[in-house]
């Protein structure tokens, strides 16, 4: 088995994991083309993909027990490419744009759910932790390329932004030729060759409380981070700093920090252990504060770097910890629910913030900052991460 080719296949699909937020850099421009549509509805273009991802994540784990993971990934990449490219042609209706966002999100759902399963299947121990960091780094790289180049293409006309999704064709080919054809484990009725597979619900009921705490942390990160991404273009416009191109450039420059953090995640972990998750939320608080108070491009770019580092830190640590506090047979369902929770938080964030009567723009940053601060306090006070790192909460701890 060629590990190098596997790494190429796995990290290439990761570049599309945050493709659902690409339209976020054009929210302000798109809203001008649909003046009668509420801004909260326009914001769904960057968050509705989370709904498509949500739907798929509910079934992807179970599908992976019966269908080759490689085939599911190829389907996901194809859906991302289709849902991303269609708006370049079909863009006269906001409903059409929203439908394409859901299709795109369904593809992201397959990619983001199967990806950590492959990492857990092909890599072990510290190599798995390192690869999860590298994987998240390439997620940031993909976000930078898609958002930055997309913002540049959409600078004069937001419709041209969607041409960036042609990169999905390249990813499809890399996965096709680099990822091995995994075999599906067949269950047997005679009880001799293999045990019958447990239902998804049975596995969910058997999960430890530690798994649910990690899910909650991921959910709150999704709310806080989406509040930042969905409102950044609005804040930039309110500060009279530019439009779609400027927002895209801020995200692109900021994401460079995420790429570096991902590729050097093992060193970041050494510095932040045993409070890596909490550190991620601290980075996000810095992002929100700097963007809220400063009115110059350099400051907002620095803030965007911290935002990307925050995402890399939490989204690399969470699945790694989930694999530590779960039994091997629980991994497909655990990662499926992980993707579900992540997609749910992204999909409902704008409406949730609206239901809390928090106005769009800068006030949403304050809301996200409060959420982040609460998470930091709880994680540090309960010493949850230290217990996981020390092995107290490992799934196989009682058997030792």
């Amino acid at each position: 088995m060629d590990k190098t080719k596997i790494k190429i296949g796995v990290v290439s699909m990761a570049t599309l994991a945050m493709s659902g937020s690409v339209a976020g850099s054009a929210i302000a421009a798109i809203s001008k083309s649909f003046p009668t549509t509420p801004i909260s509805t326009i914001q769904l273009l960057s968050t509705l993909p989370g709904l498509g991802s949500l739907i798929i994540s509910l079934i992807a784990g179970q599908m992976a027990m019966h269908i080759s993971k490689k085939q599911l990934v190829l389907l996901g990449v194809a859906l991302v490419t289709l849902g991303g490219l269609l708006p370049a042609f079909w863009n006269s209706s906001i409903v059409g744009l929203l439908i394409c966002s859901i299709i795109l999100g369904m593809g992201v759902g397959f990619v983001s759910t199967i990806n950590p399963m492959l990492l857990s299947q092909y890599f072990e121990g510290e190599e798995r932790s390192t690869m999860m960091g590298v994987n998240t780094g390439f997620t940031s790289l993909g976000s930078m390329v898609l958002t930055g180049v997309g913002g540049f293409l959409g600078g004069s006309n937001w419709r041209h932004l969607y041409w960036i999704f042609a990169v999905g064709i390249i990813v499809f080919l890399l996965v096709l030729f680099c990822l091995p054809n995994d075999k599906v484990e067949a269950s047997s009725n005679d009880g001799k060759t293999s045990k019958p597979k447990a239902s998804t619900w049975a596995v969910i009921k058997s999960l430890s409380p530690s798994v649910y705490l990690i899910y909650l942390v991921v959910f709150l990160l999704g709310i806080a981070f989406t509040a930042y991404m969905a409102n950044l273009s609005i804040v930039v416009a309110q500060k009279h700093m530019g439009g779609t191109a400027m927002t895209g450039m801020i995200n692109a420059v900021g994401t460079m920090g995420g790429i570096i953090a991902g590729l050097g995640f093992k060193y970041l972990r050494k510095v932040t252990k045993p409070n890596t998750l909490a550190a991620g939320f601290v980075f996000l608080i810095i992002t929100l504060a700097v963007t809220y108070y400063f009115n110059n491009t350099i400051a907002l770019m620095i803030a965007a770097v911290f935002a990307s580092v925050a995402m890399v830190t939490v989204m690399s640590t969470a699945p790694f910890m989930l694999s530590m506090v779960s039994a091997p047979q629980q991994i497909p369902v655990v990662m499926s629910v992980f993707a579900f929770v992540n997609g749910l938080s992204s999909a409902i964030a704008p409406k949730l913030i609206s239901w809390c009567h928090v106005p769009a723009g800068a006030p949403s940053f304050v809301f996200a900052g409060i959420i982040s601060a609460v998470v930091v306090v709880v994680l540090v006070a309960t010493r949850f991460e230290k217990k996981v790192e020390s092995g107290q909460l490992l799934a196989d701890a009682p058997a030792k």
Side-chain angles (χ1 to χ4, degrees):
M1 184 181 296
D2 190 339
K3 282 290 185 76
T4 300
K5 289 182 66 176
I6 293 176
K7 290 177 180 179
I8 293 174
V10 172
V11 300
S12 65
M13 74 177 77
T15 60
L16 299 178
M18 291 184 66
S19 57
S21 63
V22 170
S25 62
I27 293 299
I30 295 175
S31 65
K32 293 180 181 178
S33 296
F34 301 96
T36 60
T37 303
I39 187 63
S40 61
T41 300
I42 301 295
Q43 287 178 318
L44 289 175
L45 290 173
S46 63
T47 59
L48 196 57
L51 177 59
S53 177
L54 190 70
I55 295 171
I56 295 302
S57 64
L58 285 171
I59 60 175
Q62 197 67 26
M63 290 177 70
M65 297 179 183
H66 305 280
I67 303 174
S68 164
K69 296 182 184 68
K70 178 177 180 177
Q71 293 179 9
L72 293 177
V73 171
L74 289 173
L75 174 60
V77 174
L79 289 174
V80 169
T81 306
L82 177 66
L85 282 176
L86 271 180
F89 309 95
W90 186 25
N91 47 51
S92 60
S93 167
I94 188 64
V95 174
L97 293 177
L98 292 175
I99 291 174
C100 288
S101 294
I102 294 177
I103 294 174
L104 189 157
M106 292 174 69
V108 171
F110 278 115
V111 171
S112 61
T113 304
I114 304 301
N115 185 270
M117 293 184 197
L118 294 173
L119 289 171
S120 297
Q121 177 178 339
Y122 292 119
F123 305 99
E124 298 290 339
E126 284 303 314
E127 186 181 20
R128 178 189 299 175
S129 174
T130 299
M131 276 305 300
M132 284 186 173
V134 171
N135 187 71
T136 309
F138 271 84
T139 297
S140 297
L141 175 61
S143 177
M144 183 192 73
V145 173
L146 294 175
T147 305
V149 178
F152 175 78
L153 293 175
S156 59
N157 187 331
W158 61 263
R159 296 165 184 83
H160 296 163
L161 174 147
Y162 290 96
W163 284 109
I164 188 59
F165 284 97
V167 73
I169 299 173
I170 299 175
V171 174
F172 185 91
L173 294 175
L174 286 174
V175 172
L176 179 64
F177 293 111
C178 294
L179 204 62
N181 291 308
D182 56 301
K183 295 182 179 180
V184 179
E185 240 184 72
S187 58
S188 173
N189 293 325
D190 59 13
K192 295 179 181 179
T193 57
S194 62
K195 296 180 180 179
K197 296 172 182 175
S199 67
T200 300
W201 181 242
V203 174
I204 290 176
K205 290 193 296 183
S206 68
L207 299 179
S208 71
S210 300
V211 172
Y212 290 103
L213 179 56
I214 296 173
Y215 286 156
L216 177 60
V217 170
V218 171
F219 178 82
L220 294 177
L221 173 74
I223 296 294
F225 188 81
T226 302
Y228 167 73
M229 292 297 295
N231 288 277
L232 180 58
S233 65
I234 296 175
V235 171
V236 169
Q238 290 174 342
K239 292 174 179 287
H240 306 289
M241 296 175 60
T244 301
M246 177 56 69
T247 303
M249 186 58 66
I250 290 173
N251 282 325
V253 173
T255 304
M256 287 296 294
I259 298 171
I260 296 173
L263 297 178
F265 180 66
K266 63 179 180 180
Y267 303 108
L268 179 61
R269 247 187 116 235
K270 288 179 180 179
V271 174
T272 58
K273 284 173 63 176
N275 295 298
T276 307
L277 285 177
F281 282 89
V282 171
F283 295 145
L284 185 55
I285 291 174
I286 294 173
T287 293
L288 297 166
V290 172
T291 307
Y292 184 91
Y293 287 108
F294 289 84
N295 296 321
N296 66 82
T297 304
I298 299 299
L300 266 61
M301 287 181 176
I302 293 174
V305 169
F306 278 101
S308 295
V309 174
M311 177 59 71
V312 168
T313 302
V314 176
M315 297 307 289
S316 296
T317 304
F320 177 65
M321 286 190 169
L322 284 172
S323 69
M324 291 178 68
V325 298
S326 304
Q329 65 270 22
Q330 296 175 329
I331 293 296
V333 173
V334 167
M335 295 305 176
S336 183
V337 176
F338 167 70
F340 171 82
V341 171
N342 189 34
L344 175 65
S345 62
S346 299
I348 70 173
K351 290 300 182 182
L352 177 62
I353 295 173
S354 177
W355 292 335
C356 294
H357 303 290
V358 179
S364 294
F365 285 12
V366 176
F367 178 78
I370 293 174
I371 291 177
S372 301
V374 171
V375 173
V376 171
V377 171
V378 171
L379 287 176
V380 173
T382 60
R383 302 173 65 203
F384 173 74
E385 294 181 76
K386 186 173 183 179
K387 293 176 181 177
V388 174
E389 294 287 353
S390 64
Q392 297 180 43
L393 303 178
L394 293 182
D396 60 346
K400 291 184 177 180

